[in-house]
Amino acid sequence: MEMTKSRLAIRLSQLDTFDNAKEGLEQYPTDSEIAASVLWEAYMHGDIKGKLIADLGAGTGILGIGALLLGAKKVYFVEKDAKAVKLLKQNIEKPSYKVSAGSYEIINDDISDFHKKTDVVLENPPFGTRQKHSDAAFLKKAFETAGIIYTLHKSSTGKYITELAKKNDFAATNIYKFDFPLKRTMRHHTRRIHRIRVSCFRLEKPKLI
Ligand code: SAH
């Protein structure tokens, strides 16, 4: 069956997710509708099909698994939390996804220890609400890894992100805005679902001619 954005969102909603997110790691899983929107935009840009992709801070794998469902050549999943990696393995091995074992590698490590080069980085880094600018390490690693980056951040930090990109010779070609649901998986959240404005930046390093 041909993949569409809404079919992708349904498939991604069937993934297992954290029930006890770790606060220090800011494990805010990407909502399946938002993940599908980001991946669909990337797909339409020609940034997924046949591409080598790194999913940094992969969590339960939603971004990279979605990329594989849309025809990515290979995905590196990098995640330091062993519990998240266990869920990720459980998800990717679901027979219904038909993901072939040769099309991915799961690396249970800190992103700072990842040194491969890829075509594209997909990441939903910690937003730095608990630890200021903890997203900076993710951006730095993304700049080193790929020429095209899809990265999610609180919209309020947009200026900081675009300036940091510019300093690293990247330009923001597109910005997609979402109301991002933070489910009450962490104790300090009082309302059951609370939404924050989040932007996905497509950053590109222009190729030198
Ligand atoms: N990409 C997933 C998870 C986002 S939450 C999704 O979109 O749903 C951010 C993830 O980054 C968490 O799983 C957290 O454990 C992981 N993480 C945080 N700091 C990290 C680091 N330095 N190296 C590797 N993973 C990290």
Side-chain angles (χ1 to χ4, degrees):
M1 204 197 296
E2 198 199 328
M3 191 55 94
T4 62
K5 181 174 155 186
S6 56
R7 284 199 188 112
L8 180 65
I10 293 168
R11 303 297 297 277
L12 296 179
S13 73
Q14 292 157 346
L15 293 170
D16 295 325
T17 181
F18 305 109
D19 42 32
N20 243 319
K22 290 195 182 147
E23 275 188 38
L25 293 175
E26 294 198 53
Q27 291 174 323
Y28 298 122
T30 308
D31 171 78
S32 50
E33 293 288 334
I34 295 175
S37 296
V38 168
L39 289 162
W40 198 256
E41 292 294 345
Y43 177 73
M44 298 305 271
H45 266 279
D47 295 336
I48 302 285
K49 201 165 186 213
K51 300 292 180 186
L52 185 57
I53 293 177
D55 180 352
L56 302 182
T60 55
I62 189 165
L63 297 175
I65 292 173
L68 287 167
L69 294 176
L70 292 173
K73 183 165 75 184
K74 180 167 183 171
V75 175
Y76 293 107
F77 293 89
V78 188
E79 169 59 55
K80 73 173 175 187
D81 178 38
K83 266 200 177 153
V85 165
K86 203 170 156 224
L87 277 167
L88 165 51
K89 285 196 176 135
Q90 207 170 295
N91 278 329
I92 207 163
E93 286 167 7
K94 283 186 192 213
S96 58
Y97 290 119
K98 298 192 184 84
V99 170
S100 82
S103 64
Y104 65 92
E105 269 177 52
I106 299 173
I107 301 157
N108 187 187
D109 223 334
D110 196 287
I111 52 154
S112 58
D113 293 321
F114 176 72
H115 299 292
K116 298 214 188 304
K117 302 281 178 242
T118 64
D119 300 313
V120 178
V121 161
L122 304 173
E123 59 176 20
N124 170 13
F127 291 146
T129 45
R130 308 282 291 173
Q131 236 179 311
K132 205 167 159 50
H133 295 321
S134 54
D135 47 1
F138 273 78
L139 284 162
K140 181 170 172 280
K141 182 51 70 178
F143 296 141
E144 291 167 15
T145 303
I148 295 170
I149 302 165
Y150 288 81
T151 185
L152 281 88
H153 302 272
K154 281 199 293 184
S155 301
S156 58
T157 62
K159 196 159 173 275
Y160 164 78
I161 307 296
T162 48
E163 276 168 12
L164 191 62
K166 212 184 269 174
K167 271 190 213 143
N168 287 275
D169 304 321
F170 277 76
T173 60
N174 304 75
I175 302 175
Y176 310 102
K177 294 196 172 170
F178 302 101
D179 278 320
F180 192 98
L182 295 180
K183 299 216 176 71
R184 199 182 61 171
T185 48
M186 298 187 197
R187 250 174 296 122
H188 68 275
H189 297 153
T190 47
R191 272 175 292 167
R192 204 173 67 79
I193 291 190
H194 159 83
R195 288 182 181 267
I196 58 169
R197 296 294 287 162
V198 165
S199 301
C200 175
F201 297 80
R202 180 183 184 275
L203 307 177
E204 181 171 10
K205 188 174 197 164
K207 290 198 183 73
L208 298 175
I209 305 162

